[in-house]
Amino acid sequence: MNKAGFKISHTIIWTSSIFLGLLSSVPQLASHQFNALEAVVNAGITGAFAVMMWYFNIYMLSRKSDKPRKQSISYKKLLNSLLFGLVIMLGLAYIQQLILSHIDFGPVMLMVEVRGILINLVFYMFLNLLQQNYENQHVNMELERTRNDNLGAQYELLKQQVNPHFLFNSLNTLKAMVETQDQQSVDFILKLSNFYRFTLESRKLDLIHVKEEMEILDAYLFLQKARFDEGFIFNSTLNDEVLATLIPPFTLQLLVENCLKHNIVSLHKPLKIRIYQEDEKIVVENQIQLKTGEASSLGVGLKNIELRYSHLLDKQVEIISDNHKFQIKLPIIYEHHHH
């Protein structure tokens, strides 16, 4: 990855340089032997040096390099900057000596070189810190872009995910119904067809209306009723307002599938599953009667839903579990909020 560039406003460069020039003349302004020419020349020399070092350091630090940075400060560049600054200040001090020939060149030279080193160090450290911050932001943006690309690809895979065991179980149930000449065989085939039609249509979408999701769930529940008979009891109290909101496709179906997969479904003790609204959430609730070895399992369906809400909406799915019931609370997505 190429090194990120950074920019400094020309206004900042020139304003700060003029300020440093004026600041360097403060001791002369306070002197009893004030000389206006000396103050002006001193301010001009300092300001000119500051401008040149601003642009030189910006150019040097902005140059692209194929080698990765191994330390926060490049001592080679710092040395180059200091040497360049010494040469520039030497030249400016010589110009100052030509204008102010009555001043002893030795002490003046020492003073301006020390001043130049200090100014140059401040500029270099400031620009180096600014560059580090700029590069870190650039890297973070690249990481975030990569993360979003990976999540996007992962989400596409999640949308394609339909439990193959459901198809196998449905076909076995259909086989048994046909063999016993069950009168609901035709309805079962139609519901199975509708369910997979919903699957093909909805997988292209990120969000669908809750009403459409309930149609998918109704088809799924009909198929499961043919398999489990009265082994579970389902109840939904979602009103029309909630049915008009949005939800990732197959969310409710996956949650109900999760309930049936990990809990005992029995005619003697039917599994109760409820879907209702609570505040700004859709709640899927079931009593806990886990199968053996299922105590620590959240199921593929739930993990799928958590990833989808996190990727699409940056919202968290709330999970509540005690010794009696298990609840999944899904944030309600209003259409105007999504847009």
Side-chain angles (χ1 to χ4, degrees):
M1 182 180 66
N2 291 334
K3 186 176 294 185
F6 62 96
K7 295 180 180 180
I8 300 291
S9 169
H10 295 292
T11 302
I12 294 177
I13 293 174
W14 285 91
T15 302
S16 62
S17 299
I18 293 172
F19 174 77
L20 286 173
L22 295 174
L23 189 64
S24 68
S25 299
V26 169
Q28 292 174 320
L29 293 172
S31 175
H32 294 293
Q33 299 177 345
F34 172 71
N35 186 309
L37 180 60
E38 289 183 12
V40 171
V41 172
N42 188 60
I45 292 296
T46 303
F49 175 78
V51 169
M52 285 188 281
M53 295 317 299
W54 265 122
Y55 285 110
F56 177 78
N57 284 317
I58 291 173
Y59 166 75
M60 184 174 58
L61 290 173
S62 298
R63 284 187 304 173
K64 295 179 180 180
S65 175
D66 296 331
K67 296 180 180 179
R69 181 187 291 263
K70 297 182 179 180
Q71 54 192 18
S72 59
I73 298 177
S74 172
Y75 295 108
K76 180 180 179 181
K77 289 184 177 182
L78 176 59
L79 181 60
N80 289 337
S81 178
L82 291 175
L83 290 175
F84 180 80
L86 289 174
V87 172
I88 293 298
M89 188 54 86
L90 177 63
L92 293 174
Y94 179 72
I95 294 174
Q96 184 182 30
Q97 180 66 25
L98 292 178
I99 299 173
L100 306 173
S101 57
H102 63 281
I103 298 178
D104 189 0
F105 184 72
V108 171
M109 178 62 195
L110 179 61
M111 181 185 68
V112 296
E113 288 291 3
V114 171
R115 182 193 305 163
I117 290 173
L118 293 176
I119 292 174
N120 201 9
L121 278 173
V122 171
F123 285 178
Y124 184 88
M125 298 305 294
F126 172 75
L127 290 171
N128 186 78
L129 181 63
L130 185 65
Q131 184 195 37
Q132 286 289 317
N133 182 63
Y134 195 94
E135 288 180 351
N136 289 338
Q137 289 182 357
H138 184 73
V139 170
N140 289 336
M141 289 174 61
E142 289 294 327
L143 290 175
E144 185 65 21
R145 186 179 296 110
T146 301
R147 175 177 174 274
N148 288 336
D149 289 343
N150 290 338
L151 282 174
Q154 186 181 40
Y155 178 66
E156 288 302 316
L157 290 176
L158 290 173
K159 288 201 298 184
Q160 309 299 323
Q161 187 183 67
V162 175
N163 192 346
H165 295 291
F166 169 70
L167 176 60
F168 300 147
N169 291 332
S170 297
L171 292 176
N172 287 333
T173 301
L174 178 60
K175 176 176 177 292
M177 293 175 70
V178 171
E179 288 176 347
T180 59
Q181 296 183 347
D182 193 318
Q183 295 183 351
Q184 290 189 319
S185 298
V186 175
D187 289 337
F188 186 92
I189 294 172
L190 291 176
K191 289 290 184 179
L192 183 61
S193 174
N194 288 338
F195 180 79
Y196 277 96
R197 176 174 59 81
F198 291 145
T199 301
L200 293 174
E201 292 176 352
S202 300
R203 69 172 51 182
K204 303 173 186 177
L205 305 172
D206 292 331
L207 294 168
I208 61 174
H209 288 98
V210 175
K211 182 179 180 180
E212 297 174 283
E213 175 69 11
M214 288 303 298
E215 292 177 1
I216 296 174
L217 180 59
D218 288 341
Y220 174 80
L221 289 173
F222 180 89
L223 300 175
Q224 293 300 334
K225 278 289 184 180
R227 179 185 176 194
F228 294 110
D229 197 14
E230 300 300 322
F232 68 91
I233 300 172
F234 174 79
N235 180 44
S236 172
T237 58
L238 298 181
N239 57 35
D240 291 340
E241 183 180 353
V242 178
L243 292 175
T245 61
L246 300 172
I247 194 170
F250 286 88
T251 297
L252 298 180
Q253 183 270 325
L254 284 171
L255 288 177
V256 172
E257 179 182 356
N258 203 55
C259 295
L260 297 176
K261 178 181 177 182
H262 297 288
N263 290 279
I264 296 173
V265 181
S266 169
L267 293 174
H268 302 292
K269 190 179 180 181
L271 178 67
K272 296 179 181 179
I273 304 172
R274 295 176 57 210
I275 297 181
Y276 58 93
Q277 178 188 3
E278 183 180 274
D279 299 327
E280 292 298 303
K281 297 181 183 296
I282 296 175
V283 183
V284 180
E285 176 185 295
N286 67 275
Q287 71 200 68
I288 294 179
Q289 45 193 53
L290 294 174
K291 296 178 181 177
T292 304
E294 295 287 346
S296 61
S297 175
L298 292 178
V300 174
L302 181 53
K303 293 177 182 178
N304 179 310
I305 291 164
E306 288 181 306
L307 283 172
R308 284 200 281 178
Y309 270 87
S310 175
H311 171 67
L312 276 177
L313 308 165
D314 196 24
K315 292 185 177 181
Q316 298 300 317
V317 173
E318 188 176 352
I319 303 171
I320 300 175
S321 179
D322 55 30
N323 294 328
H324 304 289
K325 62 183 178 181
F326 185 79
Q327 292 179 324
I328 305 295
K329 297 186 177 182
L330 307 169
I332 291 180
I333 308 166
Y334 294 98
E335 194 158 5
H336 60 280
H337 287 169
H338 174 63
H339 290 313

